[in-house]
Amino acid sequence: MRLDETENVGDHGYGLLKSYQPFPGVSDELLDPSGKVRPVWRPFLDHLSSMSPEDISDRFARGNQYLNDAGVYFRQYGQNEALEREWPLSHIPVIISESDWQIIAEGLVQRAELLEKVVGDLYGDNRLVSEGYLPASLIAESTEWQRPLVGITPPSDNFLHFLAFEIGRGPDGTWWVLSDRAQAPSGAGFALENRVATGRVFNEFFARANVHRLAGFFRRFRDHLLDLRGEQDSRVSILTPGPLNDTYFEHAYIARYLGFMLLEGEDLTVENGHLMVRTVAGLKPVSVLWRRLDSAWTDPVELNEESHLGTPGMVQAVREGNVTMINALGTGILETRALLAFLPRICQHLQGEGLKLPNVATWWCGEETTRSYVKEHAETMMFSPARSTALPFTSSQTDFIGKDSDKFRKGILENWIDTEKGNLVAQEAVTLSTTPAYDEGLLVPRPMSLRVFLARTHKGWEVMSGGFARIGKGESASAIAMQTGGSAADVWIVGERKPYRETLLHQTESPFFKSQPGSLPSRAADNLFWLGRYVERAEGAVRLLRAYHARLMETADPDAPLVAKTADYLDKIGVPPENPVPEGLCEMLQSAVNSAGKVRDRFSVDGWLALNDLAQTANGARRVMNENADIPRAMSLLLRKITGFSGLVHENMYRFTGWRFLSIGRALERANRMTDLLSVFTGPNAPEGALEMLLEVGDSAMSMSRRYAVSLSHATVLDLLAMDPKNPRSVMYQLTDMKEHISVLPGATDRGYLSDLARAILQVHTNLAVATPETLTPEALEEIKDQIAFLSVEVTDAYIR
């Protein structure tokens, strides 16, 4: 059934809309003030009303599955821990007409230009303070005011390059700015993922709807950052606090999406005033740094001395004009809540016009006349710290004090305001507009705010045509935060014409030049190296556990010589077989997940999901399996998942330097483990059946029967598993593989001489190549094993320290 243009929702009998009752006195995105459906929503509602509840449920599940498969998460902080939670998508988009969006865009571009002038003055001439437009104490006493940055002009002459604004629609339909975000605005990456997920939920409708696209916004911003480099051999990088940050997924996603290097503070160093990244090829210059780290934490020398996240000397590199910071250090001062009280007058002073998009009404209580007004109208206001930069409605509500507080008792409020004075700000108690959300088969109104993003491009400020909507869990605006149960929705800007289909890729007829491979940060090389080691270590443990339990089932005697010796060996390598799935095995896989998590920007989504699935399968089996279960079969399942992950990564990963470090780690671990197994189970005291078990663990039983005409012996097993250059399970094969990878790494030779690492791998490779099965005694194998283990130290010394 189609909605008639003159029909009110209340007149419509369709189940999705029959109970849609906007909150009294609150603006609504779906309905206009007269109660009629806004025209921009009608096509979507027609499409939605054509679906059955089952179809809607299936489509929503499709969107959720995409987000799960893509690994989208947010970090929820509890009292004692931080947990990764599934991304809470509100599947119904927020729909805004192109004409309404244009008004918002114009107002925000004006505001961005105003903030640029304000922050330039605060760190420059400081006339806004000296001429009385801003109180000195409000700035000087703020923790966001970075005095070492005073007098520094960015190389680009701009302090701001990427901004976000939290906005909401008031009861009269006017859009208000609730907060300015200039420190390290987050959410743009999540907006992209919201778009993909929602587009899959409503794929047929979205394909023909005139919804503005997002890719062009990111492409033009990326091009702007690349142009800021100056020198072509310099780099644009993203600075992240690391995997424990609540928006780390977005940092990795944006880095992968735009092709920028994702760095942590420890990856960087400052030499002769230049910011450099530690790579496996040595120090490389970074001239543009998009920081997702608060200013104070970027430099423990000149800013916060307690920071372990920053880089000593970062401010000096900025001071000497050798790095452009996105946004400039110190711009967090613009997020000061009390600043909203002064921006209307400052806009009139600096730009000769009023704000096109007003603030939420704000009063700073540091002036006597303002305090008097605030005390008279306190019942309609919310109070909070003047210098707070927390985001309204999405931060802890203890940051705000309203009329339900004990301080509002008669006689207490006035004294409190007079005591706090300049440390207090009052704001109009905002009632946010509502937007439709789907709840138990019905559309219901829920409070919302929008986060809108602006980026500086070649043509000036550009507004993302869409954004990120926060949707409340219930009727209260205090439940918008995802930490308190809120959700996120895509924002559709719908025009009258089909928009130009833009992508992140350039379409050009200019001559083609193949770009040079990117540099690999040393920390990323370290994590990829250990990822390879941990996965191979887990595979070796699973193969041996399977062999152990198979023999235990056959003999039913844990004291049988081979069973007992294998149990002792498993205990030695950290996976004692008391539990069907030892804790040590789960820890190996979790270590692999942790290593991969630190290089999410360099890791495919499929690889990440496969690795997580592997770790979850092992943990799940550990919880439910008992000694009576078919443990060898369970180990076979884990083994298939491990080899599936390895195959996925090694077949699909581009042969950059990172792939080589992953491969070196994998080969080193396999060579080390096989050498150790051979030294233990081929000795004169090895129990009966040890040679057969070695072939099984080395997945080489078939090769043995085809390769050798003679019967099984120590010599044939050692030849096949230690010395055969064609057997992927042999020590020689892995050493050859490592030798080839190391030979093409940066610095493998120096002025015609081999590096220490190249010399070490050649030495151990030669030692094994000149050996014979007869000379490979347990003692000789132990010596080779120690040489292989030392290669890990050489790799670290050469490329990671």
Side-chain angles (χ1 to χ4, degrees), residues 438-480:
Y438 191 82
D439 185 17
E440 297 183 356
L442 298 173
L443 288 180
V444 293
R446 289 289 179 259
M448 70 136 202
S449 69
L450 294 185
R451 174 162 286 203
V452 186
F453 302 93
L454 276 71
R456 192 181 293 279
T457 70
H458 301 299
K459 296 182 179 180
W461 287 106
E462 179 174 341
V463 181
M464 181 194 289
S465 293
F468 179 98
R470 302 178 193 269
I471 310 297
K473 182 179 180 181
E475 296 184 8
S476 172
S478 64
I480 281 183

Side-chain angles (χ1 to χ4, degrees), residues 82 149 159 219 242 337 353 379 492 743 756:
L149 279 303
F159 288 82
R219 175 169 57 80
R337 188 166 296 148
E353 59 183 354
E379 290 292 328
W492 290 3
S743 69
D756 290 344

Side-chain angles (χ1 to χ4, degrees), residues 72 99 229 261 361 364 387 730 762:
V72 185
S99 57
R229 290 177 301 170
M261 192 180 291
W364 179 60
R387 295 171 188 84
S730 78
L762 178 60

Side-chain angles (χ1 to χ4, degrees), residues 169-473:
R169 196 195 289 266
D172 63 353
T174 301
W175 287 98
W176 294 335
V177 174
L178 306 175
S179 180
D180 305 307
R181 313 310 294 175
Q183 175 76 271
S186 63
F190 291 122
L192 282 169
E193 288 289 30
N194 286 343
R195 171 59 54 87
V196 176
T198 307
R200 293 196 178 191
V201 172
F202 303 108
N203 56 311
E204 303 99 328
F205 178 81
F206 185 84
R208 65 175 185 269
N210 299 333
V211 180
H212 288 213
R213 304 303 198 251
L214 305 181
F217 171 86
F218 287 96
R219 175 169 57 80
R220 286 182 284 277
F221 181 53
R222 179 196 62 188
D223 293 347
H224 173 66
L225 296 186
L226 291 172
D227 285 347
L228 289 176
R229 290 177 301 170
E231 299 178 1
Q232 291 298 312
D233 65 339
S234 187
R235 286 150 189 79
V236 179
S237 300
I238 298 176
L239 178 63
T240 175
L244 295 181
N245 185 264
D246 57 342
T247 58
Y248 176 73
F249 166 82
E250 182 192 28
H251 305 168
Y253 178 84
I254 288 290
R256 186 168 58 241
Y257 183 68
L258 298 181
F260 294 155
M261 192 180 291
L262 184 65
L263 305 176
E264 295 181 28
E266 65 182 271
D267 295 323
L268 295 163
T269 186
V270 176
E271 285 207 349
N272 300 320
H274 290 269
L275 188 64
M276 313 291 283
V277 56
R278 297 182 177 93
T279 77
V280 297
L283 297 178
K284 301 294 181 182
V286 174
S287 58
V288 179
L289 194 63
W290 185 2
R291 63 178 179 88
R292 305 303 298 271
L293 178 66
D294 287 357
S295 297
W297 300 96
T298 58
D299 188 342
V301 174
E302 296 200 52
L303 301 177
N304 188 337
E305 63 182 13
E306 297 180 359
S307 174
H308 296 285
L309 302 174
T311 304
M314 180 83 78
V315 170
Q316 185 60 32
V318 170
R319 184 177 290 118
E320 295 189 20
N322 295 323
V323 59
T324 297
M325 199 70 70
I326 312 296
N327 291 322
L329 296 177
T331 51
I333 190 68
L334 295 173
E335 299 183 0
T336 305
R337 188 166 296 148
L339 194 62
L340 296 174
F342 302 94
L343 283 180
R345 183 175 175 228
I346 292 174
C347 184
Q348 194 68 50
H349 168 64
L350 294 180
Q351 302 194 173
E353 59 183 354
L355 289 171
K356 296 179 180 179
L357 215 60
N359 299 327
V360 58
T362 305
W363 297 267
W364 179 60
C365 297
E367 298 171 339
E368 185 175 352
T369 54
T370 303
R371 285 199 301 276
S372 298
Y373 177 85
V374 167
K375 286 186 281 189
E376 290 178 10
H377 300 84
E379 290 292 328
T380 65
M381 297 180 183
M382 299 282 287
F383 294 85
S384 62
R387 295 171 188 84
S388 172
T389 60
L391 189 63
F393 308 109
T394 59
S395 58
S396 171
Q397 291 305 302
T398 58
D399 194 41
F400 293 88
I401 298 171
K403 61 182 179 181
D404 294 332
S405 168
D406 290 341
K407 287 187 173 64
F408 271 73
R409 293 204 307 269
K410 187 174 179 61
I412 295 179
L413 180 65
E414 291 82 357
N415 290 334
W416 177 63
I417 294 174
D418 286 335
T419 301
E420 292 296 321
K421 295 182 181 179
N423 295 322
L424 197 64
V425 70
Q427 291 183 293
E428 183 178 354
V430 174
T431 302
L432 295 176
S433 66
T434 55
T435 192
Y438 191 82
D439 185 17
E440 297 183 356
L442 298 173
L443 288 180
V444 293
R446 289 289 179 259
M448 70 136 202
S449 69
L450 294 185
R451 174 162 286 203
V452 186
F453 302 93
L454 276 71
R456 192 181 293 279
T457 70
H458 301 299
K459 296 182 179 180
W461 287 106
E462 179 174 341
V463 181
M464 181 194 289
S465 293
F468 179 98
R470 302 178 193 269
I471 310 297
K473 182 179 180 181

